[in-house]
Structures are given as C-alpha cells and as structure tokens.
mmCIF file of all heavy atoms in Angstrom:
data_model
loop_
_atom_site.group_PDB
_atom_site.id
_atom_site.type_symbol
_atom_site.label_atom_id
_atom_site.label_comp_id
_atom_site.label_asym_id
_atom_site.label_seq_id
_atom_site.Cartn_x
_atom_site.Cartn_y
_atom_site.Cartn_z
ATOM 1 N N ALA A 1 -48.342 -195.847 -87.410
ATOM 2 C CA ALA A 1 -46.912 -195.558 -87.412
ATOM 3 C C ALA A 1 -46.387 -195.497 -85.985
ATOM 4 O O ALA A 1 -45.300 -195.995 -85.692
ATOM 5 C CB ALA A 1 -46.638 -194.252 -88.139
ATOM 6 N N GLY A 2 -47.168 -194.918 -85.105
ATOM 7 C CA GLY A 2 -46.766 -194.812 -83.703
ATOM 8 C C GLY A 2 -46.529 -196.164 -83.064
ATOM 9 O O GLY A 2 -45.610 -196.322 -82.256
ATOM 10 N N THR A 3 -47.328 -197.154 -83.431
ATOM 11 C CA THR A 3 -47.130 -198.485 -82.860
ATOM 12 C C THR A 3 -45.823 -199.107 -83.353
ATOM 13 O O THR A 3 -45.152 -199.816 -82.608
ATOM 14 C CB THR A 3 -48.305 -199.435 -83.177
ATOM 15 O OG1 THR A 3 -48.410 -199.587 -84.593
ATOM 16 C CG2 THR A 3 -49.603 -198.913 -82.612
ATOM 17 N N PHE A 4 -45.453 -198.834 -84.604
ATOM 18 C CA PHE A 4 -44.204 -199.376 -85.138
ATOM 19 C C PHE A 4 -42.989 -198.616 -84.633
ATOM 20 O O PHE A 4 -41.921 -199.188 -84.432
ATOM 21 C CB PHE A 4 -44.208 -199.372 -86.667
ATOM 22 C CG PHE A 4 -45.097 -200.417 -87.261
ATOM 23 C CD1 PHE A 4 -46.160 -200.066 -88.065
ATOM 24 C CD2 PHE A 4 -44.869 -201.765 -87.007
ATOM 25 C CE1 PHE A 4 -46.989 -201.041 -88.610
ATOM 26 C CE2 PHE A 4 -45.692 -202.749 -87.545
ATOM 27 C CZ PHE A 4 -46.755 -202.374 -88.350
ATOM 28 N N LEU A 5 -43.142 -197.312 -84.456
ATOM 29 C CA LEU A 5 -42.005 -196.494 -84.018
ATOM 30 C C LEU A 5 -41.757 -196.631 -82.527
ATOM 31 O O LEU A 5 -40.636 -196.450 -82.066
ATOM 32 C CB LEU A 5 -42.232 -195.024 -84.395
ATOM 33 C CG LEU A 5 -42.282 -194.744 -85.897
ATOM 34 C CD1 LEU A 5 -42.635 -193.286 -86.147
ATOM 35 C CD2 LEU A 5 -40.962 -195.106 -86.566
ATOM 36 N N GLY A 6 -42.819 -196.957 -81.792
ATOM 37 C CA GLY A 6 -42.679 -197.180 -80.361
ATOM 38 C C GLY A 6 -42.120 -195.995 -79.618
ATOM 39 O O GLY A 6 -42.387 -194.856 -79.951
ATOM 40 N N ALA A 7 -41.326 -196.288 -78.636
ATOM 41 C CA ALA A 7 -40.782 -195.237 -77.774
ATOM 42 C C ALA A 7 -39.294 -195.032 -78.030
ATOM 43 O O ALA A 7 -38.570 -194.576 -77.167
ATOM 44 C CB ALA A 7 -41.024 -195.597 -76.320
ATOM 45 N N GLU A 8 -38.831 -195.383 -79.215
ATOM 46 C CA GLU A 8 -37.414 -195.193 -79.532
ATOM 47 C C GLU A 8 -37.063 -193.711 -79.532
ATOM 48 O O GLU A 8 -37.910 -192.862 -79.769
ATOM 49 C CB GLU A 8 -37.093 -195.770 -80.918
ATOM 50 C CG GLU A 8 -36.985 -197.277 -80.934
ATOM 51 C CD GLU A 8 -36.442 -197.780 -82.250
ATOM 52 O OE1 GLU A 8 -35.364 -197.310 -82.665
ATOM 53 O OE2 GLU A 8 -37.111 -198.619 -82.855
ATOM 54 N N ASN A 9 -35.812 -193.429 -79.287
ATOM 55 C CA ASN A 9 -35.319 -192.057 -79.361
ATOM 56 C C ASN A 9 -34.708 -191.834 -80.730
ATOM 57 O O ASN A 9 -33.540 -192.137 -80.945
ATOM 58 C CB ASN A 9 -34.278 -191.784 -78.266
ATOM 59 C CG ASN A 9 -34.913 -191.670 -76.914
ATOM 60 O OD1 ASN A 9 -36.043 -191.222 -76.791
ATOM 61 N ND2 ASN A 9 -34.186 -192.064 -75.891
ATOM 62 N N PHE A 10 -35.489 -191.308 -81.642
ATOM 63 C CA PHE A 10 -34.995 -191.034 -82.985
ATOM 64 C C PHE A 10 -34.288 -189.694 -82.998
ATOM 65 O O PHE A 10 -34.655 -188.772 -82.276
ATOM 66 C CB PHE A 10 -36.156 -191.036 -83.988
ATOM 67 C CG PHE A 10 -36.751 -192.395 -84.196
ATOM 68 C CD1 PHE A 10 -37.893 -192.777 -83.506
ATOM 69 C CD2 PHE A 10 -36.157 -193.295 -85.061
ATOM 70 C CE1 PHE A 10 -38.439 -194.038 -83.678
ATOM 71 C CE2 PHE A 10 -36.700 -194.559 -85.247
ATOM 72 C CZ PHE A 10 -37.842 -194.929 -84.562
ATOM 73 N N THR A 11 -33.301 -189.582 -83.855
ATOM 74 C CA THR A 11 -32.532 -188.342 -83.940
ATOM 75 C C THR A 11 -33.036 -187.413 -85.033
ATOM 76 O O THR A 11 -32.652 -186.249 -85.081
ATOM 77 C CB THR A 11 -31.043 -188.638 -84.203
ATOM 78 O OG1 THR A 11 -30.939 -189.408 -85.400
ATOM 79 C CG2 THR A 11 -30.428 -189.401 -83.034
ATOM 80 N N SER A 12 -33.906 -187.920 -85.911
ATOM 81 C CA SER A 12 -34.377 -187.096 -87.024
ATOM 82 C C SER A 12 -35.630 -187.710 -87.641
ATOM 83 O O SER A 12 -35.953 -188.876 -87.395
ATOM 84 C CB SER A 12 -33.300 -186.979 -88.095
ATOM 85 O OG SER A 12 -33.073 -188.257 -88.678
ATOM 86 N N LEU A 13 -36.289 -186.907 -88.483
ATOM 87 C CA LEU A 13 -37.420 -187.435 -89.251
ATOM 88 C C LEU A 13 -36.953 -188.520 -90.215
ATOM 89 O O LEU A 13 -37.657 -189.514 -90.433
ATOM 90 C CB LEU A 13 -38.095 -186.314 -90.050
ATOM 91 C CG LEU A 13 -39.011 -185.381 -89.299
ATOM 92 C CD1 LEU A 13 -39.587 -184.343 -90.256
ATOM 93 C CD2 LEU A 13 -40.135 -186.136 -88.620
ATOM 94 N N ALA A 14 -35.774 -188.330 -90.778
ATOM 95 C CA ALA A 14 -35.240 -189.329 -91.711
ATOM 96 C C ALA A 14 -35.061 -190.676 -91.024
ATOM 97 O O ALA A 14 -35.352 -191.722 -91.611
ATOM 98 C CB ALA A 14 -33.919 -188.842 -92.304
ATOM 99 N N ALA A 15 -34.616 -190.666 -89.781
ATOM 100 C CA ALA A 15 -34.455 -191.921 -89.031
ATOM 101 C C ALA A 15 -35.818 -192.569 -88.784
ATOM 102 O O ALA A 15 -35.943 -193.800 -88.853
ATOM 103 C CB ALA A 15 -33.736 -191.661 -87.714
ATOM 104 N N CYS A 16 -36.823 -191.773 -88.521
ATOM 105 C CA CYS A 16 -38.191 -192.307 -88.366
ATOM 106 C C CYS A 16 -38.654 -192.934 -89.677
ATOM 107 O O CYS A 16 -39.266 -194.007 -89.675
ATOM 108 C CB CYS A 16 -39.156 -191.199 -87.949
ATOM 109 S SG CYS A 16 -38.914 -190.539 -86.296
ATOM 110 N N ALA A 17 -38.345 -192.283 -90.794
ATOM 111 C CA ALA A 17 -38.744 -192.796 -92.105
ATOM 112 C C ALA A 17 -38.084 -194.149 -92.382
ATOM 113 O O ALA A 17 -38.731 -195.065 -92.884
ATOM 114 C CB ALA A 17 -38.383 -191.789 -93.194
ATOM 115 N N VAL A 18 -36.811 -194.277 -92.032
ATOM 116 C CA VAL A 18 -36.103 -195.545 -92.233
ATOM 117 C C VAL A 18 -36.793 -196.651 -91.436
ATOM 118 O O VAL A 18 -37.024 -197.758 -91.948
ATOM 119 C CB VAL A 18 -34.619 -195.413 -91.825
ATOM 120 C CG1 VAL A 18 -33.941 -196.783 -91.750
ATOM 121 C CG2 VAL A 18 -33.884 -194.503 -92.796
ATOM 122 N N ALA A 19 -37.140 -196.358 -90.199
ATOM 123 C CA ALA A 19 -37.819 -197.358 -89.359
ATOM 124 C C ALA A 19 -39.169 -197.741 -89.954
ATOM 125 O O ALA A 19 -39.550 -198.924 -89.935
ATOM 126 C CB ALA A 19 -37.998 -196.817 -87.943
ATOM 127 N N LEU A 20 -39.892 -196.784 -90.509
ATOM 128 C CA LEU A 20 -41.199 -197.097 -91.112
ATOM 129 C C LEU A 20 -41.030 -197.938 -92.374
ATOM 130 O O LEU A 20 -41.831 -198.835 -92.629
ATOM 131 C CB LEU A 20 -41.963 -195.811 -91.407
ATOM 132 C CG LEU A 20 -42.465 -195.079 -90.169
ATOM 133 C CD1 LEU A 20 -43.085 -193.744 -90.552
ATOM 134 C CD2 LEU A 20 -43.471 -195.928 -89.403
ATOM 135 N N ARG A 21 -40.006 -197.668 -93.154
ATOM 136 C CA ARG A 21 -39.755 -198.477 -94.359
ATOM 137 C C ARG A 21 -39.455 -199.921 -93.971
ATOM 138 O O ARG A 21 -39.853 -200.852 -94.668
ATOM 139 C CB ARG A 21 -38.602 -197.899 -95.163
ATOM 140 C CG ARG A 21 -38.969 -196.630 -95.889
ATOM 141 C CD ARG A 21 -38.581 -196.689 -97.347
ATOM 142 N NE ARG A 21 -38.898 -195.426 -97.992
ATOM 143 C CZ ARG A 21 -39.948 -195.261 -98.791
ATOM 144 N NH1 ARG A 21 -40.764 -196.273 -99.050
ATOM 145 N NH2 ARG A 21 -40.187 -194.099 -99.349
ATOM 146 N N GLU A 22 -38.783 -200.120 -92.851
ATOM 147 C CA GLU A 22 -38.487 -201.474 -92.382
ATOM 148 C C GLU A 22 -39.764 -202.245 -92.050
ATOM 149 O O GLU A 22 -39.769 -203.469 -92.058
ATOM 150 C CB GLU A 22 -37.569 -201.423 -91.164
ATOM 151 C CG GLU A 22 -36.160 -200.966 -91.494
ATOM 152 C CD GLU A 22 -35.308 -200.717 -90.275
ATOM 153 O OE1 GLU A 22 -35.782 -200.880 -89.128
ATOM 154 O OE2 GLU A 22 -34.132 -200.332 -90.466
ATOM 155 N N HIS A 23 -40.840 -201.507 -91.759
ATOM 156 C CA HIS A 23 -42.136 -202.133 -91.451
ATOM 157 C C HIS A 23 -43.100 -202.031 -92.633
ATOM 158 O O HIS A 23 -44.308 -202.191 -92.461
ATOM 159 C CB HIS A 23 -42.758 -201.479 -90.220
ATOM 160 C CG HIS A 23 -41.991 -201.724 -88.967
ATOM 161 N ND1 HIS A 23 -41.953 -202.946 -88.349
ATOM 162 C CD2 HIS A 23 -41.199 -200.902 -88.234
ATOM 163 C CE1 HIS A 23 -41.193 -202.871 -87.269
ATOM 164 N NE2 HIS A 23 -40.712 -201.645 -87.181
ATOM 165 N N ALA A 24 -42.564 -201.744 -93.808
ATOM 166 C CA ALA A 24 -43.342 -201.635 -95.047
ATOM 167 C C ALA A 24 -44.420 -200.572 -94.967
ATOM 168 O O ALA A 24 -45.456 -200.679 -95.618
ATOM 169 C CB ALA A 24 -43.936 -202.994 -95.425
ATOM 170 N N MET A 25 -44.184 -199.542 -94.174
ATOM 171 C CA MET A 25 -45.115 -198.400 -94.110
ATOM 172 C C MET A 25 -44.595 -197.311 -95.042
ATOM 173 O O MET A 25 -44.178 -196.232 -94.631
ATOM 174 C CB MET A 25 -45.254 -197.896 -92.677
ATOM 175 C CG MET A 25 -45.968 -198.876 -91.779
ATOM 176 S SD MET A 25 -46.651 -198.069 -90.332
ATOM 177 C CE MET A 25 -47.816 -196.917 -91.034
ATOM 178 N N ASN A 26 -44.616 -197.625 -96.346
ATOM 179 C CA ASN A 26 -43.989 -196.766 -97.343
ATOM 180 C C ASN A 26 -44.672 -195.417 -97.487
ATOM 181 O O ASN A 26 -44.004 -194.398 -97.675
ATOM 182 C CB ASN A 26 -43.915 -197.485 -98.683
ATOM 183 C CG ASN A 26 -42.986 -198.677 -98.617
ATOM 184 O OD1 ASN A 26 -41.981 -198.644 -97.914
ATOM 185 N ND2 ASN A 26 -43.320 -199.734 -99.320
ATOM 186 N N GLU A 27 -45.994 -195.388 -97.405
ATOM 187 C CA GLU A 27 -46.714 -194.114 -97.531
ATOM 188 C C GLU A 27 -46.296 -193.155 -96.416
ATOM 189 O O GLU A 27 -45.999 -191.985 -96.657
ATOM 190 C CB GLU A 27 -48.228 -194.346 -97.475
ATOM 191 C CG GLU A 27 -49.041 -193.071 -97.572
ATOM 192 C CD GLU A 27 -50.537 -193.310 -97.391
ATOM 193 O OE1 GLU A 27 -50.980 -194.479 -97.354
ATOM 194 O OE2 GLU A 27 -51.258 -192.304 -97.266
ATOM 195 N N ALA A 28 -46.247 -193.661 -95.218
ATOM 196 C CA ALA A 28 -45.846 -192.837 -94.072
ATOM 197 C C ALA A 28 -44.387 -192.418 -94.209
ATOM 198 O O ALA A 28 -44.028 -191.257 -93.948
ATOM 199 C CB ALA A 28 -46.061 -193.594 -92.770
ATOM 200 N N ALA A 29 -43.534 -193.332 -94.635
ATOM 201 C CA ALA A 29 -42.115 -193.020 -94.813
ATOM 202 C C ALA A 29 -41.924 -191.920 -95.846
ATOM 203 O O ALA A 29 -41.108 -191.012 -95.653
ATOM 204 C CB ALA A 29 -41.343 -194.268 -95.216
ATOM 205 N N GLU A 30 -42.697 -191.953 -96.917
ATOM 206 C CA GLU A 30 -42.586 -190.931 -97.963
ATOM 207 C C GLU A 30 -42.953 -189.552 -97.436
ATOM 208 O O GLU A 30 -42.306 -188.555 -97.779
ATOM 209 C CB GLU A 30 -43.467 -191.295 -99.158
ATOM 210 C CG GLU A 30 -42.922 -192.442 -99.972
ATOM 211 C CD GLU A 30 -43.881 -192.928 -101.044
ATOM 212 O OE1 GLU A 30 -44.863 -192.205 -101.354
ATOM 213 O OE2 GLU A 30 -43.653 -194.025 -101.572
ATOM 214 N N VAL A 31 -43.964 -189.473 -96.603
ATOM 215 C CA VAL A 31 -44.359 -188.187 -96.008
ATOM 216 C C VAL A 31 -43.188 -187.617 -95.201
ATOM 217 O O VAL A 31 -42.841 -186.440 -95.326
ATOM 218 C CB VAL A 31 -45.613 -188.345 -95.116
ATOM 219 C CG1 VAL A 31 -45.876 -187.104 -94.289
ATOM 220 C CG2 VAL A 31 -46.829 -188.694 -95.971
ATOM 221 N N LEU A 32 -42.574 -188.456 -94.386
ATOM 222 C CA LEU A 32 -41.464 -187.998 -93.550
ATOM 223 C C LEU A 32 -40.235 -187.655 -94.380
ATOM 224 O O LEU A 32 -39.532 -186.679 -94.093
ATOM 225 C CB LEU A 32 -41.126 -189.047 -92.501
ATOM 226 C CG LEU A 32 -42.249 -189.427 -91.532
ATOM 227 C CD1 LEU A 32 -41.734 -190.393 -90.484
ATOM 228 C CD2 LEU A 32 -42.867 -188.198 -90.895
ATOM 229 N N GLU A 33 -39.975 -188.433 -95.413
ATOM 230 C CA GLU A 33 -38.827 -188.155 -96.283
ATOM 231 C C GLU A 33 -38.991 -186.826 -97.013
ATOM 232 O O GLU A 33 -38.017 -186.062 -97.135
ATOM 233 C CB GLU A 33 -38.625 -189.299 -97.275
ATOM 234 C CG GLU A 33 -38.135 -190.573 -96.624
ATOM 235 C CD GLU A 33 -38.310 -191.809 -97.489
ATOM 236 O OE1 GLU A 33 -39.008 -191.751 -98.525
ATOM 237 O OE2 GLU A 33 -37.760 -192.854 -97.094
ATOM 238 N N ARG A 34 -40.212 -186.539 -97.474
ATOM 239 C CA ARG A 34 -40.464 -185.251 -98.141
ATOM 240 C C ARG A 34 -40.199 -184.092 -97.188
ATOM 241 O O ARG A 34 -39.577 -183.095 -97.553
ATOM 242 C CB ARG A 34 -41.892 -185.177 -98.673
ATOM 243 C CG ARG A 34 -42.105 -185.839 -100.009
ATOM 244 C CD ARG A 34 -43.424 -185.447 -100.642
ATOM 245 N NE ARG A 34 -44.576 -185.653 -99.773
ATOM 246 C CZ ARG A 34 -45.285 -186.780 -99.706
ATOM 247 N NH1 ARG A 34 -44.954 -187.815 -100.445
ATOM 248 N NH2 ARG A 34 -46.319 -186.869 -98.900
ATOM 249 N N GLN A 35 -40.678 -184.218 -95.951
ATOM 250 C CA GLN A 35 -40.481 -183.146 -94.980
ATOM 251 C C GLN A 35 -39.002 -183.017 -94.609
ATOM 252 O O GLN A 35 -38.494 -181.896 -94.477
ATOM 253 C CB GLN A 35 -41.309 -183.377 -93.721
ATOM 254 C CG GLN A 35 -41.200 -182.249 -92.714
ATOM 255 C CD GLN A 35 -41.674 -180.917 -93.263
ATOM 256 O OE1 GLN A 35 -42.692 -180.836 -93.948
ATOM 257 N NE2 GLN A 35 -40.943 -179.850 -92.972
ATOM 258 N N ALA A 36 -38.308 -184.127 -94.460
ATOM 259 C CA ALA A 36 -36.880 -184.076 -94.139
ATOM 260 C C ALA A 36 -36.105 -183.380 -95.263
ATOM 261 O O ALA A 36 -35.216 -182.561 -94.997
ATOM 262 C CB ALA A 36 -36.342 -185.483 -93.898
ATOM 263 N N ALA A 37 -36.466 -183.673 -96.506
ATOM 264 C CA ALA A 37 -35.798 -183.032 -97.648
ATOM 265 C C ALA A 37 -36.108 -181.535 -97.685
ATOM 266 O O ALA A 37 -35.223 -180.712 -97.953
ATOM 267 C CB ALA A 37 -36.233 -183.701 -98.950
ATOM 268 N N ARG A 38 -37.346 -181.182 -97.404
ATOM 269 C CA ARG A 38 -37.737 -179.767 -97.385
ATOM 270 C C ARG A 38 -36.979 -179.020 -96.288
ATOM 271 O O ARG A 38 -36.487 -177.908 -96.494
ATOM 272 C CB ARG A 38 -39.242 -179.646 -97.168
ATOM 273 C CG ARG A 38 -39.712 -178.231 -97.119
ATOM 274 C CD ARG A 38 -41.213 -178.166 -96.940
ATOM 275 N NE ARG A 38 -41.619 -176.789 -96.779
ATOM 276 C CZ ARG A 38 -42.832 -176.404 -96.491
ATOM 277 N NH1 ARG A 38 -43.788 -177.300 -96.345
ATOM 278 N NH2 ARG A 38 -43.133 -175.137 -96.362
ATOM 279 N N THR A 39 -36.872 -179.622 -95.118
ATOM 280 C CA THR A 39 -36.156 -179.003 -94.007
ATOM 281 C C THR A 39 -34.684 -178.807 -94.366
ATOM 282 O O THR A 39 -34.109 -177.745 -94.088
ATOM 283 C CB THR A 39 -36.305 -179.853 -92.736
ATOM 284 O OG1 THR A 39 -37.693 -179.948 -92.410
ATOM 285 C CG2 THR A 39 -35.551 -179.246 -91.571
ATOM 286 N N ALA A 40 -34.080 -179.804 -94.984
ATOM 287 C CA ALA A 40 -32.673 -179.692 -95.391
ATOM 288 C C ALA A 40 -32.497 -178.570 -96.414
ATOM 289 O O ALA A 40 -31.534 -177.798 -96.337
ATOM 290 C CB ALA A 40 -32.181 -181.025 -95.960
ATOM 291 N N ALA A 41 -33.431 -178.466 -97.347
ATOM 292 C CA ALA A 41 -33.360 -177.400 -98.355
ATOM 293 C C ALA A 41 -33.526 -176.028 -97.703
ATOM 294 O O ALA A 41 -32.827 -175.074 -98.067
ATOM 295 C CB ALA A 41 -34.424 -177.620 -99.427
#
C-alpha cells in the first residue's frame, strides 16, 4: 500500500482508501474505510 500511496499528502484515512481502491487494493481500502467509519462514529 505504501508503494501505491507514495508521498502524497492525504487529508484523511478515507482519502487513502480511495487511492488504494484506484489501484485495486480493495482489502487494504476496506481496512481503512472501516477505521474511518469508526472514527466518524
């Protein structure tokens, strides 16, 4: 995931998840989406 996310300045876990989905890293994206939802709750 780190290689796909690179050194971008993301503003949130959700933004990281979107970037991972763009690279078909769905398992990793789901982990981040769950945590983002938990944090929001």
